[in-house]
Amino acid sequence: MSMMDTKQLIEQTFQELAKDPTLLADISEAEREKFLDSAEEILTTTDKVIKSYIRVTRDNGSVIRIPAYRVQHSNVSGFYKGGIRFSENVNEDEVENLAFLMTLKNALHELPYGGAKGGVGIQPRDFSDRELYSISKKYVQRFSPDLGPTHDIPAPDVGTSARVMDWMVGEYKTIHPGDQYLNAFTGKSVENGGALGRREATGRGTFLSYFWLLNSWLDQKMSQSQEDLPKIMQHKQWNTLDELRQKHSASDPIDVAIQGFGNVGSVVAKEAFDASKINHRVIGVSDRYTTLYHPNGLNIPKLIQYTDKHIDLPKTEQDLLEAGIEATIYPPEDVLTLDAEVLFLAAIENQVHEGNMEDIKASILVEGANAPVNAQADKYLQDKGALVIPDILVNAGGVIVSYLEWKQAKITRIYSEKEVHEEMAKQLIQTYQKVYDAYFYGESQSMRKVCYTLALKRLITLLHRLGKLY
Ligand code: GLU
């Protein structure tokens, strides 16, 4: 989903919301129309885009300037919040779109945050630790007037980690002596005030979105008398779930493929590998260089051990031997079209598009990354009966745990890992329940649309209550 796709979907959602009498029910019809127009104008424009070039002296003595961004999309529902990514693909349009998605994500999950995103246009692998340290410090120096624990709170994203957040918070502390600093950044190392389980949070929440649907949600509906339930409206997708359930009842494992083996993908792989109750087989995983495939399932713990040491997945037969892994090596994009029933997209945006959508065999796609399926592919797959579980619903585990980390710094009590995980799961499941009910029993053809509708309803109501629509 590009910025244009997101805006188009928002426009359609606004048209449908205009027909919803429960929204802004306390005002007259004529006023309501005007208010909705104002809300659309406010929410489809960005509060602030900051672009700057950071000067870095490379290890060889040369000086370069790197584009860097912080985009604050909206603070209607709370302080700006969102990650900072280091990636060669970073550009203004992309960061703006990702900031918009953060606004929707935080509103959907009812977190007290608005949406923001940051980016630095580098491939972090091409830079030494000293250079990355310098870039992180410079980023904070440049953007610090616009950051802060009660204004805009960054976190890690693609290409950044707890280490970068620690460096950044260190610089923030130097620039703002005497101020609160621990909750100025989240996703820090545990030693430096980070929440236990923050690194795994996005991956765990992503797997849970799918597993809870197939296991708990479906059980809940099956055990209720069908007469008491509304009519199923999304038949094809319901049948998709039912087929998987039957496969499982016959004790056959469910085949899973995962694009990306970083913080999100490797955790999803481990969750699938370990899943009790329903047996899964991870038949394919990929990273930027390789897809590894085995029809009987890959040994995920061994692969994690290998990537902990080498970062990348095994690339050659020799590497496979060292890792003790049996697998066939394919090009990275092949992971998308493997014969899997469930495909987790845990890499970057725009991976499933017009060029490959017809070759996708999975009937459930889960967007662990932000915006991995483009609008055309989204529609095509859903018309075909596949279920696309959207990014802003599934990958919010990270920002939910960020919220706990931010709170933890204020109350100076460390949440245990169990508390963090339980709180995250509780909050996610509340939203999953709302969205899955509204989707399967509602008119909306896409789960993404259901999510946008719920998020926008919250944002519009807040805008109204805050007196911003007149
Ligand atoms: N970068 C993550 C996301 O896209 C986490 C953001 C945060 O924790 O603020 O949701």
Side-chain angles (χ1 to χ4, degrees):
M1 303 285 287
S2 65
M3 186 68 181
M4 224 168 67
D5 293 341
T6 309
K7 281 196 173 161
Q8 242 169 32
L9 195 54
I10 293 284
E11 203 180 302
Q12 284 169 22
T13 312
F14 263 98
Q15 282 163 12
E16 282 163 29
L17 283 172
K19 296 179 217 132
D20 178 351
T22 64
L23 179 64
L24 306 181
D26 56 339
I27 54 178
S28 72
E29 192 50 37
E31 223 178 3
R32 208 174 148 268
E33 216 171 284
K34 221 169 48 199
F35 273 32
L36 283 178
D37 284 347
S38 311
E40 187 170 351
E41 173 75 13
I42 293 172
L43 294 171
T44 51
T45 44
T46 297
D47 286 356
K48 193 167 185 176
V49 177
I50 321 163
K51 177 178 180 179
S52 185
Y53 284 86
I54 294 179
R55 182 176 56 79
V56 183
T57 309
R58 298 220 59 170
D59 291 342
N60 65 9
S62 67
V63 170
I64 54 164
R65 296 251 283 173
I66 302 167
Y69 306 84
R70 186 71 184 168
V71 175
Q72 298 169 334
H73 172 258
S74 166
N75 63 355
V76 170
S77 53
F79 307 134
Y80 297 110
K81 182 91 189 83
I84 299 172
R85 60 173 55 185
F86 285 0
S87 153
E88 71 268 48
N89 299 324
V90 159
N91 62 63
E92 187 172 325
D93 201 44
E94 185 205 59
V95 184
E96 201 176 348
N97 186 35
L98 293 167
F100 199 158
L101 292 180
M102 281 310 298
T103 301
L104 296 170
K105 189 187 309 190
N106 290 333
L108 175 66
H109 292 273
E110 300 191 14
L111 290 167
Y113 291 136
K117 200 75 160 199
V120 178
I122 54 161
Q123 168 47 259
R125 286 160 180 266
D126 299 341
F127 289 79
S128 69
D129 283 356
R130 192 205 62 81
E131 290 168 337
L132 290 173
Y133 170 68
S134 160
I135 293 166
S136 304
K137 273 176 50 160
K138 290 268 173 74
Y139 185 95
V140 178
Q141 286 164 14
R142 195 57 56 86
F143 294 101
S144 119
D146 285 285
L147 302 177
T150 54
H151 182 57
D152 183 351
I153 309 127
D157 199 85
V158 173
T160 52
S161 59
R163 185 176 70 155
V164 171
M165 293 304 114
D166 284 353
W167 288 336
M168 288 189 168
V169 92
E171 189 60 16
Y172 185 87
K173 186 172 185 285
T174 307
I175 298 172
H176 301 272
D179 281 4
Q180 286 218 12
Y181 62 91
L182 269 187
N183 47 5
F185 288 78
T186 60
K188 305 177 297 293
S189 66
V190 171
E191 295 76 9
N192 193 24
L196 289 157
R198 171 65 182 83
R199 193 191 70 80
E200 297 82 11
T202 311
R204 289 181 88 164
T206 298
F207 188 73
L208 185 68
S209 69
Y210 147 79
F211 192 75
W212 189 81
L213 172 67
L214 190 64
N215 189 35
S216 312
W217 188 84
L218 208 52
D219 269 0
Q220 193 190 94
K221 303 301 166 197
M222 293 289 192
S223 60
Q224 261 174 282
S225 130
Q226 297 306 300
E227 282 92 71
D228 293 345
L229 286 167
K231 214 165 119 277
I232 292 284
M233 301 297 279
Q234 309 306 329
H235 290 283
K236 288 184 188 160
Q237 279 74 8
W238 176 272
N239 292 341
T240 295
L241 285 185
D242 210 34
E243 269 167 39
L244 277 193
R245 191 188 172 79
Q246 281 173 27
K247 189 172 184 215
H248 157 64
S249 308
S251 303
D252 286 346
I254 294 174
D255 287 336
V256 172
I258 301 160
Q259 186 194 34
F261 207 71
N263 267 350
V264 183
S266 66
V267 175
V268 168
K270 185 75 172 43
E271 293 282 300
F273 186 86
D274 289 341
S276 54
K277 292 198 196 144
I278 300 184
N279 191 8
H280 288 81
R281 194 160 59 176
V282 182
I283 61 161
V285 297
S286 74
D287 65 6
R288 56 176 40 231
Y289 303 111
T290 344
T291 290
L292 297 181
Y293 169 72
H294 198 295
N296 299 333
L298 296 160
N299 186 331
I300 299 301
K302 275 196 185 167
L303 274 179
I304 291 177
Q305 242 175 32
Y306 183 88
T307 51
D308 278 348
K309 194 161 149 209
H310 299 274
I311 300 171
D312 301 328
L313 289 167
K315 296 184 191 63
T316 61
E317 294 299 330
Q318 189 57 37
D319 293 348
L320 284 174
L321 218 61
E322 188 195 324
I325 296 281
E326 272 181 54
T328 313
I329 298 175
Y330 291 135
E333 61 280 8
D334 285 20
V335 76
L336 299 171
T337 51
L338 292 176
D339 217 348
E341 279 132 345
V342 188
L343 174 62
F344 287 91
L345 298 160
I348 51 168
E349 54 274 21
N350 282 321
Q351 296 301 292
V352 180
H353 44 70
E354 298 88 317
N356 59 13
M357 63 191 185
E358 288 174 21
D359 302 322
I360 304 282
K361 300 187 189 67
S363 52
I364 299 189
L365 286 89
V366 190
E367 294 189 322
N370 290 312
V373 178
N374 85 359
Q376 284 88 338
D378 201 25
K379 180 163 182 345
Y380 170 86
L381 289 163
Q382 284 177 107
D383 289 349
K384 215 177 81 173
L387 181 60
V388 181
I389 315 187
D391 46 10
I392 64 165
L393 180 66
V394 318
N395 71 22
V399 68
I400 290 173
V401 176
S402 274
Y403 172 54
L404 297 176
E405 181 173 334
W406 180 79
K407 259 198 338 196
Q408 167 175 288
K410 287 165 99 70
I411 59 175
T412 55
R413 179 175 87 77
I414 307 291
Y415 294 114
S416 70
E417 189 161 357
K418 188 162 168 278
E419 280 177 303
V420 167
H421 184 62
E422 283 175 2
E423 185 59 31
M424 176 190 86
K426 194 177 95 197
Q427 258 187 263
L428 285 172
I429 287 169
Q430 256 170 29
T431 316
Y432 297 158
Q433 178 89 53
K434 244 191 292 184
V435 172
Y436 296 154
D437 285 353
Y439 171 69
F440 282 99
Y441 299 111
E443 301 279 337
S444 186
Q445 303 283 304
S446 102
M447 203 183 272
R448 195 181 314 276
K449 183 75 98 35
V450 170
C451 292
Y452 279 32
T453 305
L454 290 169
L456 286 177
K457 273 178 131 172
R458 178 171 160 77
L459 292 164
I460 295 165
T461 307
L462 284 172
L463 279 169
H464 172 41
R465 295 280 164 224
L466 292 166
K468 306 273 183 199
L469 296 180
Y470 41 84

